[in-house]
Amino acid sequence: MTAPTLDATVPQERRLVTEVPGPASRSLMARKLSAVAAGVGTTMPVFAARAGGGIVVDVDGNQLIDLGSGIAVTTVGASAPRVVEAVQEQVAAFTHTCFMVTPYEGYVAVAEALNRLTPGDHAKRTALFNSGAEAVENAVKIARSHTGRQAVVVFDHAYHGRTNLTMAMTAKNMPYKHGFGPFAGEVYRAPLSYPYRDGGTDGVVAALQAIDVIEKQVGAANLAAVVIEPIQGEGGFIEPAAGFLPALATWCRDNGVVFVADEVQTGFARTGDMFACDREGVVPDLIVTAKGIAGGLPLSAVTGRAEVMDAAHVGGLGGTYGGNPLACAAALAAIETIEAEDLVARAREIEAVLLDRLRRIEARDARIGDIRGRGAMVAVELVHAGTDVPDPELAKAVATAAHRQGVIVLTCGTHGNVLRFLPPLSISDELLHDAFDVLAATFEVTR
Ligand SMILES: *Cc1c(COP(=O)(O)O)cnc(C)c1O
């Protein structure tokens, strides 16, 4: 099975008609520099004109292979036919009434879909927001309201967003926090299971170490929530050892602490399960979703146990745009696409291609320290050969060379030494192989 949801109007091949960036992108970049705040950076100096399937077409007519999905957002593709049609229909009907003023069915239908799809078959409720960070903040509000406690525990290498509370929850200083303090209080950091760098510590043992830190430095009686990404995103696609997440979830349940899974990056078929928590049968009390939820439209959600979600008083949750009708129409169409096209299975096929191609590079190249991740969320951690010393310069060099040859690839990691692969699930095997031919050649020439 390949490319089930392509937009047929975007040709599915890599094709360069100018150097990258071309003249049209360069002139737009000059305008960007004088009009847009410098703090808003771009991975590539290339402007998009259209996108679909596994291709982004730039303003010079170059066709680039998309291994980023706009940071794990366009999981169903950037112009998935069902999403395009649903949004066109909704925009002609009405754009906004505000769900808190005169509600509409789309919001309720998205809540029902999330209550059905997320882990666990207990009674659930959902609230919708705009961004991942906003949803994480609301999960914390809800957990505090439910428990009457204040403290929040997060983990090393965590990324939860750029608002004030979520900056406090995010681990990495540069670029996310530097100079932007003071940060929200009552946020504590625990050690994470990181198999490549903790000597392969057993997952349950690593969880007991984290729990010890939590009990000694915070105290369960003060703790409202433990918030964790089941596979870390910006932190470097770190996948905790088996047993880590279940042990933490169990400790939370035993201590009346709300266990919150931040599945903003991992959700909606990305990891080869509908949600990453599904792999080990972990049932979070609250699950935070965004990114892949709505085929590219801004939407986020908190879904969880009815008694936890309903703890916040009437009027305590919401926002002007939360659950916008266009975003809800897009989400219903994206979810329908994931289910109808069995994109969970497609993510596992993509995993097989990505892992095979990366292992073939690794066999010839000692600078590949670790290959990890699941589904269409796979990364390589790059190190100086024969050591485990991070090599961010190599990650940058490979990414930049790939960009020039028409492959969109992203970096991540606390040390910036991780190349991450997040293709849309609408990409074909042919495009994946072409992209990895480019990457493999790039590794050869940087040796
Ligand atoms: C991207 C991300 C966020 C923040 O989402 P925004 O929509 O950018 O606010 C939060 N958590 C995780 C795990 C993310 O990957």
Side-chain angles (χ1 to χ4, degrees), residues 346-362:
R346 179 63 190 144
R348 292 189 181 213
E349 293 176 351
I350 290 172
E351 170 184 320
V353 175
L354 295 178
L355 292 181
D356 174 58
R357 294 299 306 248
L358 289 169
R359 287 189 185 124
R360 281 197 261 159
I361 297 173
E362 181 187 36

Side-chain angles (χ1 to χ4, degrees), residues 71 130-134 136 159-162 229 233-234 262-265 290-291:
I71 318 185
N130 302 288
S131 68
E134 192 188 358
V136 171
Y159 182 84
H160 297 291
R162 294 173 180 269
E229 300 155 87
E234 308 305 301
D262 179 348
E263 292 232 24
V264 168
Q265 193 153 157
K291 293 200 167 101

Side-chain angles (χ1 to χ4, degrees), residues 10 15 44 85 87 106 129 155 159 171 174 199 217 220 224 232 234 253 271-272 279 295 331 334 340 356 385 418 433:
V10 179
R15 185 159 165 264
M44 292 175 66
E85 196 185 327
V87 172
F129 305 97
F155 289 82
Y159 182 84
M174 201 59 171
Q217 298 184 20
Q232 285 190 330
E234 308 305 301
R253 191 179 330 115
T271 62
R279 191 62 65 100
D356 174 58
V418 177
H433 282 296

